[in-house]
Amino acid sequence: VCVSDFMVSKFYKFTGYVFLFAAGFFFFIWNNMSHPKQIRNNMIHGLELTLPFFTIYCILFRQKKDFVFYNGVFRTREEMAGYALMLFIAFLAELCYCLRSKWMEKRVVWMMLYGIGASVSAYFLYITWTVLALLAAMVVILLFAAYVVKNRKGLVLGILKSASILLASLACSVLVVVGIHTALRNLPEYLDTDIHYSGETLESGLDEAALAAAKAGTPGLFRGVHSSRGLEKQTVWTNYLRHLNLFGNNGTLTVLGTKTDAQSGYLDMVYRYGLFVLIPYLLMLFCGLYHAWKEHGFLMLGTTLAFGILMLAQCIDRPFAQPIWIVFYLGMGIWFGKPDRQAENSIQGR
């Protein structure tokens, strides 16, 4: 990355040097703190606290329209899916921690809230209908189930009580999600507060003919909406593959008259920084998976798996543009400490 910045001028300049020096200094300070785990805890708690404000904003100003994928507070549904997916992982990690934590025995309400938070996040993820993010969420759910089964003997409240609390949380979540869904569909229209962003990409699952008919019938509802079936990813990938070289490129390509990104994080990385970056980048992902597995925690393992899956067909590797990017890259900082410190600061569940 550092070599490529000198060879080819880019919009994101000297990103490698920022990581090498700024992030390296941050990781050094982090691992010399008295309680390094607190940094990652605060990072996740801060993200979780955004959900109520995010939900209120969407209810008031961002209507969920029929046959149109939901963008939430973002300009694209992919960004919305990345945010909701990271929240979903964070709340499940909290549940993993609660199930094994002794101090949660008398504070069951927190487990209920975390369960509701996970359900609301899953709902927002679902209405974006981003297939790859939904696949990542299913992998995370399987990982959560495997974690609970593996640690069933260590459940503080026991299997039956823990299951009853999770079921009660799920029942409450149904009421909350139904209320949010109803409000998203009706309240912005009733209050006349629905807003659209400049440069926003609105997509529908309808094909071009059906979308044209829908626009003719209700032009106001489908204003600015495009079919998600318009430009095939395979066509974009083929064009980007033709422009790969050793030291990278600047800008984005125009494919069939449309300026578009690579629609794959891995391909975008190689296109921007050259073929030399691919092997070190994949090694970093595998090392992240290894350390996350070794840590016996849920948060970083789920985040690393989800990040790797999203990178297959989404360009999410943009500095500080997505919560999942921040947690994935900065969350690895605790692994740069000594092995004994890592064991000391390992968090069951988180």
Side-chain angles (χ1 to χ4, degrees):
V1 175
C2 295
V3 173
S4 177
D5 283 333
F6 279 105
M7 295 294 182
V8 181
S9 178
K10 300 180 180 65
F11 179 78
Y12 293 101
K13 294 182 179 179
F14 307 117
T15 305
Y17 293 95
V18 171
F19 276 102
L20 185 61
F21 295 106
F25 180 73
F26 170 68
F27 291 163
F28 173 78
I29 298 297
W30 184 0
N31 283 280
N32 283 276
M33 294 174 58
S34 300
H35 303 285
K37 66 181 181 182
Q38 202 59 40
I39 290 286
R40 201 160 69 185
N41 287 357
N42 292 342
M43 191 187 306
I44 295 304
H45 292 157
L47 176 64
E48 293 165 353
L49 287 174
T50 65
L51 182 59
F53 302 100
F54 168 91
T55 304
I56 292 171
Y57 177 86
C58 290
I59 286 174
L60 292 176
F61 303 112
R62 302 286 283 172
Q63 184 183 11
K64 172 65 179 78
K65 300 176 181 178
D66 292 333
F67 306 110
V68 179
F69 303 133
Y70 195 60
N71 291 353
V73 301
F74 301 96
R75 284 185 169 88
T76 65
R77 63 182 177 126
E78 287 82 6
E79 292 177 291
M80 171 67 177
Y83 170 81
L85 178 60
M86 188 62 246
L87 270 176
F88 182 63
I89 296 170
F91 283 117
L92 289 185
E94 295 284 14
L95 284 174
C96 289
Y97 176 69
C98 291
L99 291 172
R100 294 175 57 84
S101 177
K102 294 181 180 179
W103 70 276
M104 291 302 298
E105 189 172 1
K106 296 182 179 179
R107 301 182 67 178
V108 176
V109 65
W110 283 102
M111 290 182 63
M112 300 282 290
L113 291 175
Y114 291 143
I116 293 172
S119 299
V120 172
S121 304
Y123 164 73
F124 279 121
L125 176 59
Y126 175 76
I127 59 178
T128 67
W129 199 249
T130 306
V131 176
L132 209 60
L134 291 172
L135 174 63
M138 287 189 284
V139 171
V140 170
I141 290 172
L142 292 175
L143 181 64
F144 175 75
Y147 183 91
V148 173
V149 172
K150 180 183 176 182
N151 296 279
R152 60 188 182 279
K153 294 182 179 179
L155 300 179
V156 175
L157 302 177
I159 296 177
L160 291 178
K161 190 171 182 180
S162 297
S164 63
I165 293 172
L166 292 176
L167 288 175
S169 175
L170 183 61
C172 294
S173 298
V174 171
L175 298 177
V176 173
V177 168
V178 168
I180 292 174
H181 177 72
T182 304
L184 284 177
R185 288 172 56 87
N186 300 292
L187 198 57
E189 182 179 12
Y190 177 77
L191 298 176
D192 195 22
T193 55
D194 188 31
I195 60 175
H196 298 271
Y197 302 147
S198 60
E200 183 175 10
T201 302
L202 295 172
E203 294 182 279
S204 172
L206 301 175
D207 57 30
E208 296 288 352
L211 184 59
K215 285 183 177 180
T218 53
L221 183 63
F222 291 94
R223 177 169 54 90
V225 179
H226 305 280
S227 174
S228 62
R229 307 179 187 181
L231 191 60
E232 294 292 336
K233 289 184 182 293
Q234 290 82 354
T235 305
V236 176
W237 293 341
T238 301
N239 278 268
Y240 269 88
L241 284 170
R242 290 172 181 166
H243 289 79
L244 297 184
N245 55 50
L246 293 179
F247 297 107
N249 302 273
N250 184 30
T252 56
L253 295 179
T254 300
V255 181
L256 299 180
T258 303
K259 195 171 185 179
T260 180
D261 60 30
Q263 299 192 20
S264 168
Y266 300 115
L267 184 56
D268 181 67
M269 176 70 66
V270 178
Y271 172 79
R272 283 190 290 134
Y273 296 112
L275 292 168
F276 286 131
V277 80
L278 182 60
I279 294 178
Y281 192 81
L282 291 177
L283 283 175
M284 181 194 69
L285 284 175
F286 286 123
C287 288
L289 282 172
Y290 169 76
H291 284 285
W293 180 269
K294 188 177 178 181
E295 190 185 52
H296 302 294
F298 178 86
L299 175 66
M300 286 308 297
L301 185 56
T303 301
T304 305
L305 285 171
F307 187 87
I309 293 172
L310 289 183
M311 284 282 287
L312 290 171
Q314 291 185 30
C315 293
I316 60 171
D317 204 334
R318 296 288 189 269
F320 300 98
Q322 283 277 349
I324 194 169
W325 185 97
I326 296 173
V327 176
F328 172 70
Y329 280 107
L330 298 187
M332 292 190 291
I334 201 170
W335 298 333
F336 287 83
K338 296 179 181 180
D340 55 339
R341 292 294 302 278
Q342 291 182 25
E344 176 188 344
N345 291 293
S346 177
I347 313 169
Q348 290 294 330
R350 294 188 228 160

